[in-house]
Amino acid sequence: PGWRWVFLLNVPLALLCLPVALRHVPESGGAERAHGRFDVLGAVLGALALALVTYALIEAGGGGVVVVVSAVAGLAAAVAFVVVERRRPDPMMPPDIFASRQFTAVNLVTLCVYAALGGFFFLAALQLQVVVGYSALAAGTALLPTTVLMLLLSARSGELADRIGPRIPLTAGPLLCAAGMLLMLRVGRGASYLADVLPALMVLGLGMVTLVAPLTATVLGSVSVVRAGLASGIN
């Protein structure tokens, strides 16, 4: 039916996960769970800020008044979101959660790492199709080794981080990812998958394995159990 249908992939999975979670995942809040009103204004402002800035970035190449207005309005909504969250008794994103230096630092690492990874996979897929000559399906399949490595090794990476602490994995992981990206510089016209593409993806995948599980565990470990869902959502 067309490639746009890929964006609906998560809908049946979410519908399947919801009843499973409601039945089998215990509430972590317990007696300390807050019973305040839902932060409608915060949710609306946060969504508006993200939507408007995203739209401005997507359409920036064409320029024009609409792009400028969207960008300014998105930034204004972001500022308003912060102001509202600081003043509400039951904010969607309590500012005091960032008082933890570890929580704030790890979220900054997340921002940098996933910005890089998001850009990498987008550009890598284009490089494989436009320059090397792969089909869209072949390009997507070519990038699968990183996912396979994460499926096979993430649990062990998490166990290792529990034993030695997060500092080494959160340092080594991004460096390995960077090395994998640099190896992709060899992927040009006529590149060999086994000699050029696969080694770069294996190094990148090992970096993601080293990084991702400890990153998530460190974020959750830096806040109280009551705020685990909140911390995960922010991350």
Side-chain angles (χ1 to χ4, degrees), residues 77-87 93 95:
V79 172
F81 171 76
V82 173
V83 171
V84 167
E85 297 304 277
R86 288 173 65 90
R87 294 180 177 177
M93 189 184 76

Side-chain angles (χ1 to χ4, degrees), residues 22-107:
L22 289 172
R23 181 176 178 83
H24 296 289
V25 179
E27 171 58 53
S28 60
E32 299 179 60
R33 185 181 180 187
H35 292 278
R37 296 175 61 185
F38 181 72
D39 183 10
V40 176
L41 182 58
V44 170
L45 287 171
L48 266 179
L50 293 171
L52 290 169
V53 170
T54 301
Y55 175 81
L57 289 170
I58 291 172
E59 298 295 331
V65 176
V66 176
V67 171
V68 175
V69 170
S70 298
V72 172
L75 292 173
V79 172
F81 171 76
V82 173
V83 171
V84 167
E85 297 304 277
R86 288 173 65 90
R87 294 180 177 177
R88 286 187 69 88
D90 298 299
M92 182 178 73
M93 189 184 76
D96 66 324
I97 195 171
F98 293 99
S100 166
R101 290 178 61 187
Q102 186 178 55
F103 178 80
T104 302
V106 174
N107 274 289

Side-chain angles (χ1 to χ4, degrees), residues 49-206:
L50 293 171
L52 290 169
V53 170
T54 301
Y55 175 81
L57 289 170
I58 291 172
E59 298 295 331
V65 176
V66 176
V67 171
V68 175
V69 170
S70 298
V72 172
L75 292 173
V79 172
F81 171 76
V82 173
V83 171
V84 167
E85 297 304 277
R86 288 173 65 90
R87 294 180 177 177
R88 286 187 69 88
D90 298 299
M92 182 178 73
M93 189 184 76
D96 66 324
I97 195 171
F98 293 99
S100 166
R101 290 178 61 187
Q102 186 178 55
F103 178 80
T104 302
V106 174
N107 274 289
L108 287 173
V109 171
T110 303
L111 175 65
C112 295
V113 166
Y114 281 95
L117 290 173
F120 169 80
F121 282 111
F122 173 69
L123 294 173
L126 289 179
Q127 180 80 355
L128 291 174
Q129 292 176 73
V130 177
V131 177
V132 187
Y134 286 18
S135 68
L137 180 61
T141 306
L143 297 172
L144 278 178
T146 54
T147 305
V148 173
L149 282 172
M150 291 189 69
L151 286 170
L152 293 176
L153 301 175
S154 285
R156 291 183 175 85
S157 172
E159 292 168 0
L160 177 64
D162 284 341
R163 289 201 300 270
I164 67 174
R167 186 181 297 273
I168 293 176
L170 295 186
T171 303
L175 291 174
L176 279 170
C177 289
M181 291 181 184
L182 288 173
L183 285 172
M184 283 293 286
L185 290 172
R186 302 163 58 200
V187 179
R189 194 175 301 278
S192 161
Y193 182 74
L194 291 178
D196 300 315
V197 181
L198 185 59
L201 294 176
M202 294 295 287
V203 174
L204 177 70
L206 288 172

